[in-house]
Amino acid sequence: MTPRILLIISGGIAAYKSLELVRLLRKRGIAVRAVLTGSAQQFVTPLSLGVLTENPVFTDLFDLKDEQEIGHIQLSRQADLVVVAPATANIIAKMANGIADDLATTLLLATDKPVLAVPAMNVRMWHHRATQRNLVRLHADGVHIMTPDDGAMACGEFGTGRLPEPEAILAEIERLLALPKNSDSLAGQPDFADAPETNTALHGKHILITAGPTHEPIDPVRYIANRSSGKQGFAIAAAAAQAGARVTLVAGPVQLPTPPGVDRIDVQTAREMLSAVETALPADAAIMVAAVADWRTADAADQKLKKDGSGQPAPLALVENPDILATLGRHAHRPALLIGFAAETQQIAEHAQAKLARKGADWIVANDVSGDVMGGENNAVQIVTPSGIETWPVLPKGQVADKLIAKVAHALSARSD
Ligand code: C5P
C-alpha cells in the first residue's frame, strides 16, 4: 500500500519550501494530500499544490462539498502520518492548547495518527518561553518535532528558526514511516502496513555509556560526590539498546532500574569507573554522561573521623581524579565517536567549546543546569561540535536521549560509508 501523508502548511515565508517537499515525497512514491491555513495561502496557492500533489487541496472547514465527500474527521485519519510544515509559532501554540478554529487545527485535534511538526519562525519567537513551553507540551503529547536549522532569517536576523531543508524533512518522514532510506521508489518494498517497527539504526555497534555520580570516600560513612540522578545517562542507554546497539552502561551509585537489553557495571569511585570503561573497550561510540567527582581524598580513613573537641575540622587533603573522557580522547582504542557532557550554569556554549578541545572529544552536549535539570525530568541542551552549535528545545530527558542516539547513528553510518 502506498504510504499517505496529510501535509498541513501554515503561513510563514518558508511555506514556499513545502512545494519542494511535496515534489520529493511524490518522487519517493508517497501520496500527499495538502491542507493550507488561511495565512499559508498568502505564500503558496492551492492551485500549485493541487498540481504537485495530484490531489484536491483543502482550505476551508465549512466547504460543504468537501464535507459531504470526505468529512474532516475522515481526512485526518486516512493518512499514515500528519506533517505540519512549516509549523508557525501560532499553529504550535494552538496545537499545544487543543484549539481548533480552522480546518488545519480541527484536523490536528481530530486525528488519531502520528504527527510530525516542522517548526519555522523568527529566532526570538523560537526562543520565547511561550513557544518553548508549547513545544514541551507537544512532546509530552507524543508529537514528533524537528529542530529548526540555524542561519540567516528572511527578517534579517540570525539564529535558530529556519525550516530544515526538504531533504531533511523527507528523511524524518521516512524514519517515522519506517521506510528504507535513499531509494527513489518503493517498488518491491513491503506494504506500509507490514513495514518492520524494529529500530536497527545501531545494529552491530557497541556503545559505551557512563552515568550517575561517583562517590569518593572520606571515611566509611562520608563521601564527596556531585549531584546527579543518572536519569539522562540511563535514558541514553535505553535509547541505544532500543536502536539495536550492544550497550555497556558503567553506572555510579544511583537508584535506577537497568534498561532492557543493557549490560550494566556498577561502580562507586572515579578510578573504578575508569577501569570499567577501559575494560569495556573497544567501542564504536562512547557517551560520557557521568558527573565524575573531580577530586578524591588523598587517603580515605579506615575509621569514622571524629570531632576532637578542638573546634578544628579534620584536615582533608584532596588529589585530582583521572579524567575518564580525556583519557579516552587520547586512548589507543579511542572510540570513533567520543561524546562528553558539560553541566554549566553560565556561558554554556563557550565553556563547551573549550572542553571539546581540552578533552579530545568529538561532541560536547552542554546542558544548562541553572534551572531544575538536576534530578528533573527535562533537559535543555546544546550540541557543540567543531563545526558549530545546535540548540535543542527544552525536552524530556527521554526525548533528548532519542534525538542524541539518532544523531549518533547518523554519524556512525556516515563514518562507515
Ligand atoms: O570537566 P567537566 O567535569 O565539566 O567535564 C564533563 C565531562 O567530562 C563529562 O562528559 C564527564 O562525564 C567527563 N568527566 C570524566 N572524568 C572526570 C571528569 C569529567 O569523564 N574526572
Side-chain angles (χ1 to χ4, degrees), residues 115-392:
V115 177
L116 169 67
V118 192
M121 65 194 73
N122 167 273
V123 55
R124 300 217 181 279
M125 293 168 86
W126 171 254
H127 285 298
H128 196 284
R129 295 178 85 98
T131 304
Q132 291 298 319
R133 200 167 53 231
N134 290 331
L135 289 166
V136 170
R137 272 196 183 181
L138 285 182
H139 272 287
D141 291 348
V143 172
H144 302 276
I145 299 174
M146 285 184 78
T147 307
D149 284 349
D150 288 344
M153 325 229 96
C155 52
E157 286 186 87
F158 189 92
T160 307
R162 286 169 59 93
L163 189 77
E165 289 307 318
E167 290 78 8
I169 304 174
L170 173 67
E172 185 63 5
I173 290 172
E174 286 174 332
R175 191 181 73 79
L176 292 173
L177 292 176
L179 299 177
K181 268 192 179 172
N182 297 330
S183 156
D184 278 351
S185 144
L186 288 173
Q189 299 299 340
D191 275 358
F192 176 73
D194 301 336
E197 283 187 5
T198 332
N199 178 356
T200 54
L202 284 177
H203 182 73
K205 305 288 183 200
H206 180 208
I207 311 293
L208 174 58
I209 296 164
T210 64
T214 62
H215 285 183
E216 312 296 335
I218 296 171
D219 65 20
V221 295
R222 304 183 180 96
Y223 57 80
I224 301 171
N226 287 2
R227 285 176 61 187
S228 167
S229 66
K231 283 181 187 167
Q232 184 64 79
F234 273 59
I236 292 169
Q242 263 169 27
R246 176 163 79 83
V247 181
T248 306
L249 171 63
V250 181
V254 291
Q255 301 296 320
L256 291 173
T258 309
V262 168
D263 295 328
R264 171 173 177 175
I265 301 165
D266 284 315
V267 297
Q268 293 285 324
T269 67
R271 285 186 296 174
E272 287 169 11
M273 187 172 270
L274 174 62
S275 155
V277 161
E278 289 193 287
T279 307
L281 291 174
D284 297 284
I287 312 175
M288 305 285 96
V289 196
V292 183
D294 288 326
W295 302 284
R296 66 176 186 276
T297 50
D299 268 314
D302 292 338
Q303 304 297 329
K304 184 179 173 194
L305 298 176
K306 294 282 188 195
K307 288 183 271 189
D308 65 4
S310 69
Q312 293 298 314
L316 206 56
L318 299 179
V319 291
E320 204 167 309
N321 263 331
D323 190 312
I324 303 165
L325 177 60
T327 307
L328 285 193
R330 48 173 194 269
H331 203 280
H333 296 295
R334 181 193 192 277
L337 185 60
L338 182 58
I339 304 170
F341 267 64
E344 306 286 358
T345 52
Q346 53 178 344
Q347 292 178 289
I348 294 153
E350 290 82 345
H351 285 152
Q353 287 280 15
K355 203 158 287 184
L356 197 60
R358 201 167 65 242
K359 308 231 182 189
D362 298 300
W363 307 345
I364 291 285
V365 181
N367 51 338
D368 183 349
V369 292
S370 53
D372 63 351
V373 162
M374 297 282 193
E377 299 307 321
N378 294 329
N379 208 351
V381 307
Q382 292 180 295
I383 313 291
V384 181
T385 71
S387 54
I389 297 175
E390 257 180 53
T391 304
W392 292 358

